[in-house]
Amino acid sequence: MTVVALLGVVALFYYLYKAFFTSWNKTFDYSDEDKEFWDHRISEAINNCTAISNSARLTKSSSTSEKVFKELGSAWSEEDRIKFVENKKKIQLKQKKLDHLFLQIKEREKRKDGLVIINARYGVFNPPDFRALVNVTVPLQCFVNSKSSTIVIKKEMSMSSLPGFGDPLEGFINNYVQHLNKELQVIYRTNGSLKMKTFIENEQGFEVTLPFEGQ
């Protein structure tokens, strides 16, 4: 009986050992599969995140390129395009100093249904391939007279010399620059009506009057 009992105990231990080892091995194998599964999912997530990020960057880049293309014609060289971006940044820095005054005057004119500049662009409009435009909405609004709600500017010089303006073609290397005429195109609201007017700059200077008589 003693031998039989001893053999039984050994058999029991052997069975328990096999059961434990098999169970542990299965658990270990399952963990590896689980780890592989989650590694795959994490990899997918990273790839998706990268794809989304690249897509967003591409969309932003396309949007920026489209905006620059609208402001700048296709005939300009890469050097001139780079110079345009530099000129635009300089002009924007000048306009930044006028932000507070711009908001004050705009709110004042809106309250009394006066002269509100919706959008103003200055530069070369034609021919379209040589287009070069900068936004001058902020400085032009600052010229509105508080009493008459009008703008009257007459100068024997270029509009680019006005505060908050600037020459979008400054430093361009293309010789065709000297043959291009600059214009100021304004969309504005006065007395509840939306209107548009273009002022052309010439060798004698320019004259800007808003609201324009006859409109």
PDB file of all heavy atoms in Angstrom, residues 67 71 102 106 115-123 125 133-141 151 165 183-189 194-199 210:
ATOM      1  N   LYS A  67      -3.814  80.604 -52.098  1.00  0.00           N
ATOM      2  CA  LYS A  67      -3.964  81.995 -51.694  1.00  0.00           C
ATOM      3  C   LYS A  67      -2.886  82.854 -52.336  1.00  0.00           C
ATOM      4  O   LYS A  67      -3.156  83.934 -52.853  1.00  0.00           O
ATOM      5  CB  LYS A  67      -3.893  82.099 -50.170  1.00  0.00           C
ATOM      6  CG  LYS A  67      -4.149  83.503 -49.646  1.00  0.00           C
ATOM      7  CD  LYS A  67      -4.130  83.518 -48.136  1.00  0.00           C
ATOM      8  CE  LYS A  67      -4.386  84.921 -47.605  1.00  0.00           C
ATOM      9  NZ  LYS A  67      -4.333  84.971 -46.134  1.00  0.00           N
ATOM     10  N   GLU A  71      -3.021  86.040 -55.129  1.00  0.00           N
ATOM     11  CA  GLU A  71      -2.393  87.329 -54.883  1.00  0.00           C
ATOM     12  C   GLU A  71      -1.274  87.620 -55.877  1.00  0.00           C
ATOM     13  O   GLU A  71      -0.955  88.778 -56.129  1.00  0.00           O
ATOM     14  CB  GLU A  71      -1.811  87.370 -53.463  1.00  0.00           C
ATOM     15  CG  GLU A  71      -2.852  87.306 -52.371  1.00  0.00           C
ATOM     16  CD  GLU A  71      -2.228  87.233 -50.997  1.00  0.00           C
ATOM     17  OE1 GLU A  71      -1.066  86.791 -50.891  1.00  0.00           O
ATOM     18  OE2 GLU A  71      -2.895  87.609 -50.027  1.00  0.00           O
ATOM     19  N   PHE A 102      -7.927 100.912 -36.206  1.00  0.00           N
ATOM     20  CA  PHE A 102      -8.816 100.325 -37.214  1.00  0.00           C
ATOM     21  C   PHE A 102     -10.128  99.854 -36.591  1.00  0.00           C
ATOM     22  O   PHE A 102     -11.219 100.151 -37.098  1.00  0.00           O
ATOM     23  CB  PHE A 102      -8.100  99.156 -37.896  1.00  0.00           C
ATOM     24  CG  PHE A 102      -9.006  98.234 -38.667  1.00  0.00           C
ATOM     25  CD1 PHE A 102      -9.539  98.614 -39.887  1.00  0.00           C
ATOM     26  CD2 PHE A 102      -9.327  96.976 -38.162  1.00  0.00           C
ATOM     27  CE1 PHE A 102     -10.377  97.759 -40.600  1.00  0.00           C
ATOM     28  CE2 PHE A 102     -10.158  96.124 -38.865  1.00  0.00           C
ATOM     29  CZ  PHE A 102     -10.688  96.515 -40.089  1.00  0.00           C
ATOM     30  N   LYS A 106     -13.774 101.483 -37.372  1.00  0.00           N
ATOM     31  CA  LYS A 106     -14.741 100.593 -38.012  1.00  0.00           C
ATOM     32  C   LYS A 106     -16.022 100.485 -37.192  1.00  0.00           C
ATOM     33  O   LYS A 106     -17.136 100.563 -37.737  1.00  0.00           O
ATOM     34  CB  LYS A 106     -14.124  99.210 -38.208  1.00  0.00           C
ATOM     35  CG  LYS A 106     -15.030  98.244 -38.951  1.00  0.00           C
ATOM     36  CD  LYS A 106     -14.346  96.908 -39.185  1.00  0.00           C
ATOM     37  CE  LYS A 106     -15.254  95.953 -39.933  1.00  0.00           C
ATOM     38  NZ  LYS A 106     -14.594  94.640 -40.178  1.00  0.00           N
ATOM     39  N   LEU A 115     -19.065 104.888 -43.431  1.00  0.00           N
ATOM     40  CA  LEU A 115     -18.213 104.261 -44.442  1.00  0.00           C
ATOM     41  C   LEU A 115     -17.393 103.126 -43.824  1.00  0.00           C
ATOM     42  O   LEU A 115     -16.508 103.362 -42.998  1.00  0.00           O
ATOM     43  CB  LEU A 115     -17.275 105.310 -45.052  1.00  0.00           C
ATOM     44  CG  LEU A 115     -16.278 104.824 -46.101  1.00  0.00           C
ATOM     45  CD1 LEU A 115     -16.980 104.154 -47.272  1.00  0.00           C
ATOM     46  CD2 LEU A 115     -15.415 105.986 -46.590  1.00  0.00           C
ATOM     47  N   VAL A 116     -17.703 101.909 -44.235  1.00  0.00           N
ATOM     48  CA  VAL A 116     -16.992 100.729 -43.739  1.00  0.00           C
ATOM     49  C   VAL A 116     -16.295 100.049 -44.913  1.00  0.00           C
ATOM     50  O   VAL A 116     -16.941  99.682 -45.902  1.00  0.00           O
ATOM     51  CB  VAL A 116     -17.949  99.731 -43.060  1.00  0.00           C
ATOM     52  CG1 VAL A 116     -17.192  98.481 -42.617  1.00  0.00           C
ATOM     53  CG2 VAL A 116     -18.644 100.383 -41.871  1.00  0.00           C
ATOM     54  N   ILE A 117     -14.988  99.899 -44.801  1.00  0.00           N
ATOM     55  CA  ILE A 117     -14.212  99.235 -45.854  1.00  0.00           C
ATOM     56  C   ILE A 117     -14.326  97.721 -45.657  1.00  0.00           C
ATOM     57  O   ILE A 117     -13.864  97.180 -44.655  1.00  0.00           O
ATOM     58  CB  ILE A 117     -12.734  99.662 -45.816  1.00  0.00           C
ATOM     59  CG1 ILE A 117     -12.607 101.192 -45.856  1.00  0.00           C
ATOM     60  CG2 ILE A 117     -11.971  99.022 -46.967  1.00  0.00           C
ATOM     61  CD1 ILE A 117     -13.218 101.835 -47.074  1.00  0.00           C
ATOM     62  N   ILE A 118     -14.944  97.060 -46.609  1.00  0.00           N
ATOM     63  CA  ILE A 118     -15.110  95.605 -46.532  1.00  0.00           C
ATOM     64  C   ILE A 118     -13.833  94.901 -46.973  1.00  0.00           C
ATOM     65  O   ILE A 118     -13.354  93.968 -46.325  1.00  0.00           O
ATOM     66  CB  ILE A 118     -16.285  95.135 -47.415  1.00  0.00           C
ATOM     67  CG1 ILE A 118     -17.565  95.895 -47.045  1.00  0.00           C
ATOM     68  CG2 ILE A 118     -16.477  93.630 -47.285  1.00  0.00           C
ATOM     69  CD1 ILE A 118     -18.003  95.706 -45.606  1.00  0.00           C
ATOM     70  N   ASN A 119     -13.280  95.362 -48.083  1.00  0.00           N
ATOM     71  CA  ASN A 119     -12.039  94.769 -48.588  1.00  0.00           C
ATOM     72  C   ASN A 119     -11.350  95.764 -49.508  1.00  0.00           C
ATOM     73  O   ASN A 119     -11.998  96.393 -50.350  1.00  0.00           O
ATOM     74  CB  ASN A 119     -12.331  93.472 -49.349  1.00  0.00           C
ATOM     75  CG  ASN A 119     -11.065  92.721 -49.718  1.00  0.00           C
ATOM     76  OD1 ASN A 119     -10.384  93.077 -50.666  1.00  0.00           O
ATOM     77  ND2 ASN A 119     -10.756  91.676 -48.972  1.00  0.00           N
ATOM     78  N   ALA A 120     -10.047  95.905 -49.343  1.00  0.00           N
ATOM     79  CA  ALA A 120      -9.272  96.805 -50.206  1.00  0.00           C
ATOM     80  C   ALA A 120      -7.972  96.115 -50.599  1.00  0.00           C
ATOM     81  O   ALA A 120      -7.243  95.622 -49.732  1.00  0.00           O
ATOM     82  CB  ALA A 120      -8.982  98.118 -49.487  1.00  0.00           C
ATOM     83  N   ARG A 121      -7.699  96.084 -51.893  1.00  0.00           N
ATOM     84  CA  ARG A 121      -6.477  95.467 -52.416  1.00  0.00           C
ATOM     85  C   ARG A 121      -5.717  96.490 -53.245  1.00  0.00           C
ATOM     86  O   ARG A 121      -6.304  97.224 -54.037  1.00  0.00           O
ATOM     87  CB  ARG A 121      -6.823  94.266 -53.299  1.00  0.00           C
ATOM     88  CG  ARG A 121      -7.623  93.190 -52.596  1.00  0.00           C
ATOM     89  CD  ARG A 121      -6.762  92.265 -51.784  1.00  0.00           C
ATOM     90  NE  ARG A 121      -7.550  91.394 -50.937  1.00  0.00           N
ATOM     91  CZ  ARG A 121      -7.061  90.366 -50.269  1.00  0.00           C
ATOM     92  NH1 ARG A 121      -5.773  90.092 -50.340  1.00  0.00           N
ATOM     93  NH2 ARG A 121      -7.829  89.624 -49.504  1.00  0.00           N
ATOM     94  N   TYR A 122      -4.401  96.489 -53.044  1.00  0.00           N
ATOM     95  CA  TYR A 122      -3.557  97.436 -53.772  1.00  0.00           C
ATOM     96  C   TYR A 122      -2.445  96.686 -54.487  1.00  0.00           C
ATOM     97  O   TYR A 122      -1.842  95.762 -53.932  1.00  0.00           O
ATOM     98  CB  TYR A 122      -2.953  98.454 -52.807  1.00  0.00           C
ATOM     99  CG  TYR A 122      -1.875  99.312 -53.423  1.00  0.00           C
ATOM    100  CD1 TYR A 122      -2.185 100.256 -54.405  1.00  0.00           C
ATOM    101  CD2 TYR A 122      -0.542  99.175 -53.039  1.00  0.00           C
ATOM    102  CE1 TYR A 122      -1.194 101.032 -54.984  1.00  0.00           C
ATOM    103  CE2 TYR A 122       0.451  99.954 -53.604  1.00  0.00           C
ATOM    104  CZ  TYR A 122       0.122 100.882 -54.578  1.00  0.00           C
ATOM    105  OH  TYR A 122       1.106 101.652 -55.155  1.00  0.00           O
ATOM    106  N   GLY A 123      -2.176  97.115 -55.730  1.00  0.00           N
ATOM    107  CA  GLY A 123      -1.088  96.506 -56.488  1.00  0.00           C
ATOM    108  C   GLY A 123      -1.448  96.374 -57.952  1.00  0.00           C
ATOM    109  O   GLY A 123      -2.237  97.153 -58.488  1.00  0.00           O
ATOM    110  N   PHE A 125      -3.268  94.538 -60.909  1.00  0.00           N
ATOM    111  CA  PHE A 125      -4.388  93.649 -61.215  1.00  0.00           C
ATOM    112  C   PHE A 125      -4.274  93.069 -62.626  1.00  0.00           C
ATOM    113  O   PHE A 125      -4.669  91.937 -62.872  1.00  0.00           O
ATOM    114  CB  PHE A 125      -5.717  94.403 -61.094  1.00  0.00           C
ATOM    115  CG  PHE A 125      -6.161  94.633 -59.678  1.00  0.00           C
ATOM    116  CD1 PHE A 125      -5.687  95.718 -58.959  1.00  0.00           C
ATOM    117  CD2 PHE A 125      -7.050  93.764 -59.065  1.00  0.00           C
ATOM    118  CE1 PHE A 125      -6.099  95.936 -57.654  1.00  0.00           C
ATOM    119  CE2 PHE A 125      -7.466  93.973 -57.757  1.00  0.00           C
ATOM    120  CZ  PHE A 125      -6.987  95.066 -57.049  1.00  0.00           C
ATOM    121  N   LEU A 133      -0.814  91.586 -55.475  1.00  0.00           N
ATOM    122  CA  LEU A 133      -1.751  92.339 -54.646  1.00  0.00           C
ATOM    123  C   LEU A 133      -1.484  92.155 -53.156  1.00  0.00           C
ATOM    124  O   LEU A 133      -1.136  91.066 -52.711  1.00  0.00           O
ATOM    125  CB  LEU A 133      -3.190  91.888 -54.942  1.00  0.00           C
ATOM    126  CG  LEU A 133      -3.651  91.955 -56.394  1.00  0.00           C
ATOM    127  CD1 LEU A 133      -5.024  91.317 -56.539  1.00  0.00           C
ATOM    128  CD2 LEU A 133      -3.678  93.393 -56.876  1.00  0.00           C
ATOM    129  N   VAL A 134      -1.686  93.235 -52.411  1.00  0.00           N
ATOM    130  CA  VAL A 134      -1.609  93.166 -50.954  1.00  0.00           C
ATOM    131  C   VAL A 134      -2.898  93.744 -50.371  1.00  0.00           C
ATOM    132  O   VAL A 134      -3.534  94.611 -50.974  1.00  0.00           O
ATOM    133  CB  VAL A 134      -0.390  93.938 -50.399  1.00  0.00           C
ATOM    134  CG1 VAL A 134       0.896  93.216 -50.742  1.00  0.00           C
ATOM    135  CG2 VAL A 134      -0.366  95.368 -50.901  1.00  0.00           C
ATOM    136  N   ASN A 135      -3.267  93.252 -49.210  1.00  0.00           N
ATOM    137  CA  ASN A 135      -4.487  93.698 -48.535  1.00  0.00           C
ATOM    138  C   ASN A 135      -4.206  94.997 -47.776  1.00  0.00           C
ATOM    139  O   ASN A 135      -3.312  95.049 -46.930  1.00  0.00           O
ATOM    140  CB  ASN A 135      -4.957  92.609 -47.572  1.00  0.00           C
ATOM    141  CG  ASN A 135      -6.353  92.870 -47.044  1.00  0.00           C
ATOM    142  OD1 ASN A 135      -6.707  93.994 -46.719  1.00  0.00           O
ATOM    143  ND2 ASN A 135      -7.150  91.819 -46.950  1.00  0.00           N
ATOM    144  N   VAL A 136      -4.985  96.046 -48.079  1.00  0.00           N
ATOM    145  CA  VAL A 136      -4.809  97.342 -47.401  1.00  0.00           C
ATOM    146  C   VAL A 136      -6.122  97.798 -46.758  1.00  0.00           C
ATOM    147  O   VAL A 136      -6.369  98.993 -46.603  1.00  0.00           O
ATOM    148  CB  VAL A 136      -4.286  98.415 -48.385  1.00  0.00           C
ATOM    149  CG1 VAL A 136      -2.852  98.116 -48.799  1.00  0.00           C
ATOM    150  CG2 VAL A 136      -5.182  98.531 -49.611  1.00  0.00           C
ATOM    151  N   THR A 137      -6.955  96.843 -46.383  1.00  0.00           N
ATOM    152  CA  THR A 137      -8.236  97.161 -45.750  1.00  0.00           C
ATOM    153  C   THR A 137      -8.043  97.948 -44.458  1.00  0.00           C
ATOM    154  O   THR A 137      -8.738  98.944 -44.210  1.00  0.00           O
ATOM    155  CB  THR A 137      -9.015  95.860 -45.449  1.00  0.00           C
ATOM    156  OG1 THR A 137      -9.162  95.104 -46.651  1.00  0.00           O
ATOM    157  CG2 THR A 137     -10.381  96.166 -44.865  1.00  0.00           C
ATOM    158  N   VAL A 138      -7.096  97.503 -43.635  1.00  0.00           N
ATOM    159  CA  VAL A 138      -6.865  98.137 -42.328  1.00  0.00           C
ATOM    160  C   VAL A 138      -6.439  99.596 -42.461  1.00  0.00           C
ATOM    161  O   VAL A 138      -7.078 100.492 -41.882  1.00  0.00           O
ATOM    162  CB  VAL A 138      -5.832  97.331 -41.508  1.00  0.00           C
ATOM    163  CG1 VAL A 138      -5.391  98.110 -40.274  1.00  0.00           C
ATOM    164  CG2 VAL A 138      -6.420  95.986 -41.097  1.00  0.00           C
ATOM    165  N   PRO A 139      -5.369  99.907 -43.206  1.00  0.00           N
ATOM    166  CA  PRO A 139      -4.967 101.313 -43.290  1.00  0.00           C
ATOM    167  C   PRO A 139      -5.995 102.207 -43.973  1.00  0.00           C
ATOM    168  O   PRO A 139      -6.168 103.369 -43.580  1.00  0.00           O
ATOM    169  CB  PRO A 139      -3.656 101.265 -44.085  1.00  0.00           C
ATOM    170  CG  PRO A 139      -3.689  99.984 -44.819  1.00  0.00           C
ATOM    171  CD  PRO A 139      -4.434  99.037 -43.947  1.00  0.00           C
ATOM    172  N   LEU A 140      -6.703 101.678 -44.983  1.00  0.00           N
ATOM    173  CA  LEU A 140      -7.678 102.517 -45.686  1.00  0.00           C
ATOM    174  C   LEU A 140      -8.837 102.899 -44.766  1.00  0.00           C
ATOM    175  O   LEU A 140      -9.316 104.039 -44.807  1.00  0.00           O
ATOM    176  CB  LEU A 140      -8.205 101.794 -46.927  1.00  0.00           C
ATOM    177  CG  LEU A 140      -8.993 102.677 -47.901  1.00  0.00           C
ATOM    178  CD1 LEU A 140      -8.115 103.789 -48.462  1.00  0.00           C
ATOM    179  CD2 LEU A 140      -9.569 101.844 -49.044  1.00  0.00           C
ATOM    180  N   GLN A 141      -9.277 101.980 -43.927  1.00  0.00           N
ATOM    181  CA  GLN A 141     -10.347 102.292 -42.972  1.00  0.00           C
ATOM    182  C   GLN A 141      -9.910 103.397 -42.015  1.00  0.00           C
ATOM    183  O   GLN A 141     -10.722 104.233 -41.592  1.00  0.00           O
ATOM    184  CB  GLN A 141     -10.717 101.036 -42.177  1.00  0.00           C
ATOM    185  CG  GLN A 141     -11.861 101.228 -41.185  1.00  0.00           C
ATOM    186  CD  GLN A 141     -13.212 101.387 -41.856  1.00  0.00           C
ATOM    187  OE1 GLN A 141     -13.721 100.467 -42.480  1.00  0.00           O
ATOM    188  NE2 GLN A 141     -13.803 102.567 -41.730  1.00  0.00           N
ATOM    189  N   ILE A 151     -13.451 109.494 -47.273  1.00  0.00           N
ATOM    190  CA  ILE A 151     -12.001 109.429 -47.462  1.00  0.00           C
ATOM    191  C   ILE A 151     -11.655 110.309 -48.656  1.00  0.00           C
ATOM    192  O   ILE A 151     -12.214 110.134 -49.745  1.00  0.00           O
ATOM    193  CB  ILE A 151     -11.514 107.991 -47.740  1.00  0.00           C
ATOM    194  CG1 ILE A 151     -11.760 107.087 -46.530  1.00  0.00           C
ATOM    195  CG2 ILE A 151     -10.031 107.988 -48.098  1.00  0.00           C
ATOM    196  CD1 ILE A 151     -11.382 105.632 -46.771  1.00  0.00           C
ATOM    197  N   PHE A 165       0.490 101.071 -46.129  1.00  0.00           N
ATOM    198  CA  PHE A 165       0.561 100.522 -47.484  1.00  0.00           C
ATOM    199  C   PHE A 165       1.989 100.008 -47.706  1.00  0.00           C
ATOM    200  O   PHE A 165       2.708  99.723 -46.763  1.00  0.00           O
ATOM    201  CB  PHE A 165       0.213 101.593 -48.521  1.00  0.00           C
ATOM    202  CG  PHE A 165      -1.263 101.819 -48.708  1.00  0.00           C
ATOM    203  CD1 PHE A 165      -2.060 102.218 -47.643  1.00  0.00           C
ATOM    204  CD2 PHE A 165      -1.859 101.649 -49.947  1.00  0.00           C
ATOM    205  CE1 PHE A 165      -3.416 102.441 -47.810  1.00  0.00           C
ATOM    206  CE2 PHE A 165      -3.217 101.866 -50.132  1.00  0.00           C
ATOM    207  CZ  PHE A 165      -3.999 102.259 -49.055  1.00  0.00           C
ATOM    208  N   GLU A 183      -3.146  99.678 -58.991  1.00  0.00           N
ATOM    209  CA  GLU A 183      -4.512 100.134 -58.747  1.00  0.00           C
ATOM    210  C   GLU A 183      -4.911  99.855 -57.305  1.00  0.00           C
ATOM    211  O   GLU A 183      -4.315  99.003 -56.638  1.00  0.00           O
ATOM    212  CB  GLU A 183      -5.493  99.415 -59.691  1.00  0.00           C
ATOM    213  CG  GLU A 183      -5.185  99.569 -61.165  1.00  0.00           C
ATOM    214  CD  GLU A 183      -6.091  98.711 -62.032  1.00  0.00           C
ATOM    215  OE1 GLU A 183      -7.160  98.280 -61.534  1.00  0.00           O
ATOM    216  OE2 GLU A 183      -5.735  98.456 -63.194  1.00  0.00           O
ATOM    217  N   LEU A 184      -5.931 100.557 -56.871  1.00  0.00           N
ATOM    218  CA  LEU A 184      -6.541 100.311 -55.566  1.00  0.00           C
ATOM    219  C   LEU A 184      -7.996  99.932 -55.813  1.00  0.00           C
ATOM    220  O   LEU A 184      -8.768 100.738 -56.333  1.00  0.00           O
ATOM    221  CB  LEU A 184      -6.466 101.560 -54.683  1.00  0.00           C
ATOM    222  CG  LEU A 184      -7.224 101.488 -53.348  1.00  0.00           C
ATOM    223  CD1 LEU A 184      -6.615 100.428 -52.432  1.00  0.00           C
ATOM    224  CD2 LEU A 184      -7.237 102.846 -52.663  1.00  0.00           C
ATOM    225  N   GLN A 185      -8.349  98.715 -55.464  1.00  0.00           N
ATOM    226  CA  GLN A 185      -9.724  98.248 -55.649  1.00  0.00           C
ATOM    227  C   GLN A 185     -10.378  98.114 -54.276  1.00  0.00           C
ATOM    228  O   GLN A 185      -9.861  97.416 -53.404  1.00  0.00           O
ATOM    229  CB  GLN A 185      -9.746  96.909 -56.380  1.00  0.00           C
ATOM    230  CG  GLN A 185     -11.147  96.462 -56.774  1.00  0.00           C
ATOM    231  CD  GLN A 185     -11.131  95.143 -57.529  1.00  0.00           C
ATOM    232  OE1 GLN A 185     -11.260  94.086 -56.929  1.00  0.00           O
ATOM    233  NE2 GLN A 185     -10.958  95.206 -58.843  1.00  0.00           N
ATOM    234  N   VAL A 186     -11.509  98.793 -54.114  1.00  0.00           N
ATOM    235  CA  VAL A 186     -12.152  98.865 -52.804  1.00  0.00           C
ATOM    236  C   VAL A 186     -13.597  98.382 -52.866  1.00  0.00           C
ATOM    237  O   VAL A 186     -14.368  98.808 -53.735  1.00  0.00           O
ATOM    238  CB  VAL A 186     -12.141 100.313 -52.258  1.00  0.00           C
ATOM    239  CG1 VAL A 186     -12.648 100.335 -50.815  1.00  0.00           C
ATOM    240  CG2 VAL A 186     -10.749 100.919 -52.349  1.00  0.00           C
ATOM    241  N   ILE A 187     -13.945  97.502 -51.959  1.00  0.00           N
ATOM    242  CA  ILE A 187     -15.342  97.127 -51.737  1.00  0.00           C
ATOM    243  C   ILE A 187     -15.732  97.742 -50.404  1.00  0.00           C
ATOM    244  O   ILE A 187     -15.070  97.504 -49.388  1.00  0.00           O
ATOM    245  CB  ILE A 187     -15.516  95.598 -51.699  1.00  0.00           C
ATOM    246  CG1 ILE A 187     -15.075  94.981 -53.033  1.00  0.00           C
ATOM    247  CG2 ILE A 187     -16.965  95.226 -51.391  1.00  0.00           C
ATOM    248  CD1 ILE A 187     -15.071  93.465 -53.035  1.00  0.00           C
ATOM    249  N   TYR A 188     -16.782  98.551 -50.405  1.00  0.00           N
ATOM    250  CA  TYR A 188     -17.143  99.265 -49.183  1.00  0.00           C
ATOM    251  C   TYR A 188     -18.658  99.333 -49.011  1.00  0.00           C
ATOM    252  O   TYR A 188     -19.422  99.119 -49.956  1.00  0.00           O
ATOM    253  CB  TYR A 188     -16.543 100.674 -49.189  1.00  0.00           C
ATOM    254  CG  TYR A 188     -17.063 101.585 -50.281  1.00  0.00           C
ATOM    255  CD1 TYR A 188     -18.076 102.512 -50.027  1.00  0.00           C
ATOM    256  CD2 TYR A 188     -16.531 101.540 -51.568  1.00  0.00           C
ATOM    257  CE1 TYR A 188     -18.545 103.361 -51.025  1.00  0.00           C
ATOM    258  CE2 TYR A 188     -16.993 102.381 -52.571  1.00  0.00           C
ATOM    259  CZ  TYR A 188     -18.004 103.288 -52.300  1.00  0.00           C
ATOM    260  OH  TYR A 188     -18.473 104.126 -53.291  1.00  0.00           O
ATOM    261  N   ARG A 189     -19.056  99.642 -47.788  1.00  0.00           N
ATOM    262  CA  ARG A 189     -20.476  99.788 -47.477  1.00  0.00           C
ATOM    263  C   ARG A 189     -20.720 101.185 -46.921  1.00  0.00           C
ATOM    264  O   ARG A 189     -19.979 101.653 -46.050  1.00  0.00           O
ATOM    265  CB  ARG A 189     -20.922  98.743 -46.455  1.00  0.00           C
ATOM    266  CG  ARG A 189     -22.441  98.747 -46.182  1.00  0.00           C
ATOM    267  CD  ARG A 189     -22.793  97.752 -45.081  1.00  0.00           C
ATOM    268  NE  ARG A 189     -22.423  96.400 -45.440  1.00  0.00           N
ATOM    269  CZ  ARG A 189     -23.165  95.600 -46.212  1.00  0.00           C
ATOM    270  NH1 ARG A 189     -24.304  96.040 -46.709  1.00  0.00           N
ATOM    271  NH2 ARG A 189     -22.764  94.380 -46.485  1.00  0.00           N
ATOM    272  N   LEU A 194     -23.815  98.262 -50.576  1.00  0.00           N
ATOM    273  CA  LEU A 194     -22.496  97.701 -50.848  1.00  0.00           C
ATOM    274  C   LEU A 194     -22.042  98.151 -52.232  1.00  0.00           C
ATOM    275  O   LEU A 194     -22.766  97.984 -53.219  1.00  0.00           O
ATOM    276  CB  LEU A 194     -22.559  96.173 -50.788  1.00  0.00           C
ATOM    277  CG  LEU A 194     -21.221  95.428 -50.765  1.00  0.00           C
ATOM    278  CD1 LEU A 194     -20.458  95.756 -49.485  1.00  0.00           C
ATOM    279  CD2 LEU A 194     -21.449  93.929 -50.874  1.00  0.00           C
ATOM    280  N   LYS A 195     -20.840  98.733 -52.309  1.00  0.00           N
ATOM    281  CA  LYS A 195     -20.351  99.284 -53.571  1.00  0.00           C
ATOM    282  C   LYS A 195     -18.895  98.903 -53.802  1.00  0.00           C
ATOM    283  O   LYS A 195     -18.202  98.479 -52.879  1.00  0.00           O
ATOM    284  CB  LYS A 195     -20.500 100.808 -53.572  1.00  0.00           C
ATOM    285  CG  LYS A 195     -21.931 101.287 -53.363  1.00  0.00           C
ATOM    286  CD  LYS A 195     -22.022 102.798 -53.342  1.00  0.00           C
ATOM    287  CE  LYS A 195     -23.464 103.254 -53.134  1.00  0.00           C
ATOM    288  NZ  LYS A 195     -23.582 104.725 -53.129  1.00  0.00           N
ATOM    289  N   MET A 196     -18.443  99.108 -55.044  1.00  0.00           N
ATOM    290  CA  MET A 196     -17.053  98.830 -55.381  1.00  0.00           C
ATOM    291  C   MET A 196     -16.510  99.939 -56.272  1.00  0.00           C
ATOM    292  O   MET A 196     -17.223 100.466 -57.129  1.00  0.00           O
ATOM    293  CB  MET A 196     -16.914  97.491 -56.101  1.00  0.00           C
ATOM    294  CG  MET A 196     -15.462  97.083 -56.343  1.00  0.00           C
ATOM    295  SD  MET A 196     -15.296  95.492 -57.203  1.00  0.00           S
ATOM    296  CE  MET A 196     -15.666  96.001 -58.878  1.00  0.00           C
ATOM    297  N   LYS A 197     -15.249 100.294 -56.052  1.00  0.00           N
ATOM    298  CA  LYS A 197     -14.618 101.336 -56.861  1.00  0.00           C
ATOM    299  C   LYS A 197     -13.136 101.023 -57.030  1.00  0.00           C
ATOM    300  O   LYS A 197     -12.476 100.543 -56.108  1.00  0.00           O
ATOM    301  CB  LYS A 197     -14.786 102.709 -56.193  1.00  0.00           C
ATOM    302  CG  LYS A 197     -14.106 103.848 -56.927  1.00  0.00           C
ATOM    303  CD  LYS A 197     -14.678 104.045 -58.327  1.00  0.00           C
ATOM    304  CE  LYS A 197     -13.965 105.169 -59.067  1.00  0.00           C
ATOM    305  NZ  LYS A 197     -14.433 105.292 -60.471  1.00  0.00           N
ATOM    306  N   THR A 198     -12.625 101.300 -58.235  1.00  0.00           N
ATOM    307  CA  THR A 198     -11.205 101.102 -58.528  1.00  0.00           C
ATOM    308  C   THR A 198     -10.548 102.443 -58.830  1.00  0.00           C
ATOM    309  O   THR A 198     -11.070 103.240 -59.620  1.00  0.00           O
ATOM    310  CB  THR A 198     -11.020 100.166 -59.737  1.00  0.00           C
ATOM    311  OG1 THR A 198     -11.578  98.886 -59.429  1.00  0.00           O
ATOM    312  CG2 THR A 198      -9.544  99.995 -60.065  1.00  0.00           C
ATOM    313  N   PHE A 199      -9.412 102.693 -58.193  1.00  0.00           N
ATOM    314  CA  PHE A 199      -8.642 103.916 -58.413  1.00  0.00           C
ATOM    315  C   PHE A 199      -7.306 103.528 -59.045  1.00  0.00           C
ATOM    316  O   PHE A 199      -6.598 102.657 -58.531  1.00  0.00           O
ATOM    317  CB  PHE A 199      -8.400 104.649 -57.093  1.00  0.00           C
ATOM    318  CG  PHE A 199      -9.670 105.033 -56.379  1.00  0.00           C
ATOM    319  CD1 PHE A 199     -10.221 104.194 -55.419  1.00  0.00           C
ATOM    320  CD2 PHE A 199     -10.320 106.219 -56.674  1.00  0.00           C
ATOM    321  CE1 PHE A 199     -11.390 104.535 -54.756  1.00  0.00           C
ATOM    322  CE2 PHE A 199     -11.496 106.574 -56.022  1.00  0.00           C
ATOM    323  CZ  PHE A 199     -12.034 105.727 -55.063  1.00  0.00           C
ATOM    324  N   LEU A 210     -13.890 108.511 -51.360  1.00  0.00           N
ATOM    325  CA  LEU A 210     -14.947 107.565 -50.981  1.00  0.00           C
ATOM    326  C   LEU A 210     -15.866 108.211 -49.951  1.00  0.00           C
ATOM    327  O   LEU A 210     -15.384 108.911 -49.057  1.00  0.00           O
ATOM    328  CB  LEU A 210     -14.342 106.285 -50.389  1.00  0.00           C
ATOM    329  CG  LEU A 210     -13.594 105.359 -51.351  1.00  0.00           C
ATOM    330  CD1 LEU A 210     -12.897 104.252 -50.578  1.00  0.00           C
ATOM    331  CD2 LEU A 210     -14.540 104.763 -52.389  1.00  0.00           C
TER     332      LEU A 210
END
